[in-house]
Amino acid sequence: MVLDVHPEVLGRDTGDVSVLADAGVSIVHCPLTNARYAHNLHTFAGYRARGVNLCLGTDSFPPDLIRGIDVGTQVAKLQAGDLGQGHLTGYFDALWTGGATALHRPDLGRLAAGATADLSACALDDFRTGVTEDPLRTLVLNGTARDAVLTMVAGRVVMRDGSIPGVDLTELRRTGRQLFDMMRAAYPERDHRRRTVGELFPPVFPRS
């Protein structure tokens, strides 16, 4: 979605964002994926200021929303040229309640009486995490989603200490490898220049 505020269009707000806000549109922001493709949202703070609901998403691997928040807040600082424009609170709002608002599900994304018990808990006791200042800020700056130690869906534990009951992670990884290899091998068929797999996926350091 490219609006008037985007530098490649007009670079200024002539009303597009207000149209979205008035229509109750929600935007799913995937900062990690955007950054990998040299894109960014223009701008996270601007949309929030005009009342557009923002959700935090991911459509890449790893599906790590903590890394996504980290990338998003750093990009926001670079865009504004201001260290105070990280919008960490806004990003957590997008993570917790943004999606719930988009789905019209007030029972999600919050701890409250009558809300669905969807919970995630992260540990900050790993030595590599460093000193804990504010727990949310520490998690974003020093941690990743791999620090999650407990996940509950509707009050039912679905992950504890990296283990998912009933799921064979070793077999899942093997199947994932097979599917990835199939997808990677098919890339030349979709490439308009008909480049080989080696050309499309060159090693970081060329082999001598």
Side-chain angles (χ1 to χ4, degrees):
M1 179 175 62
V2 181
L3 306 179
D4 55 9
V5 293
H6 196 287
E8 295 178 7
V9 182
L10 295 177
R12 65 181 188 278
D13 183 10
T14 63
D16 285 0
V17 178
S18 293
V19 170
L20 296 182
D22 292 343
V25 169
S26 294
I27 293 176
V28 181
H29 178 34
C30 303
L32 184 60
T33 306
N34 288 353
R36 285 178 173 174
Y37 286 93
H39 299 305
N40 51 67
L41 190 67
H42 294 277
T43 62
F44 187 88
Y47 282 113
R48 277 176 56 86
R50 289 165 178 80
V52 176
N53 180 54
L54 290 161
C55 321
L56 194 65
T58 175
D59 57 356
S60 62
F61 201 88
D64 190 328
L65 293 176
I66 303 304
R67 285 182 60 184
I69 292 176
D70 190 23
V71 170
T73 54
Q74 308 318 321
V75 168
K77 294 174 188 177
L78 287 168
Q79 285 178 315
D82 181 356
L83 290 176
Q85 294 300 309
H87 305 292
L88 190 56
T89 300
Y91 268 91
F92 273 107
D93 284 341
L95 171 65
W96 291 331
T97 59
T101 299
L103 295 171
H104 306 288
R105 290 285 305 273
D107 59 309
L108 302 177
R110 67 192 77 239
L111 291 175
T116 302
D118 292 347
L119 309 171
S120 290
C122 294
L124 298 176
D125 57 352
D126 191 300
F127 179 81
R128 293 164 293 185
T129 304
V131 176
T132 300
E133 182 250 333
D134 179 279
L136 292 179
R137 187 159 45 236
T138 299
L139 177 62
V140 171
L141 292 177
N142 302 347
T144 72
R146 294 181 183 181
D147 293 307
V149 293
L150 177 73
T151 301
M152 298 175 65
V153 176
R156 179 173 61 90
V157 174
V158 296
M159 187 280 289
R160 189 190 299 274
D161 296 327
S163 177
I164 304 175
V167 176
D168 186 339
L169 294 180
T170 300
E171 176 61 19
L172 197 62
R173 181 180 178 85
R174 186 190 66 80
T175 302
R177 179 79 246 182
Q178 289 178 335
L179 293 173
F180 177 79
D181 289 343
M182 290 171 57
M183 181 182 70
R184 189 171 186 263
Y187 261 85
E189 299 174 14
R190 301 193 299 273
D191 181 52
H192 72 285
R193 292 167 55 187
R194 289 294 188 267
R195 287 170 291 182
T196 66
V197 170
E199 291 172 319
L200 290 168
F201 298 91
V204 174
F205 293 102
R207 298 182 179 90
S208 57

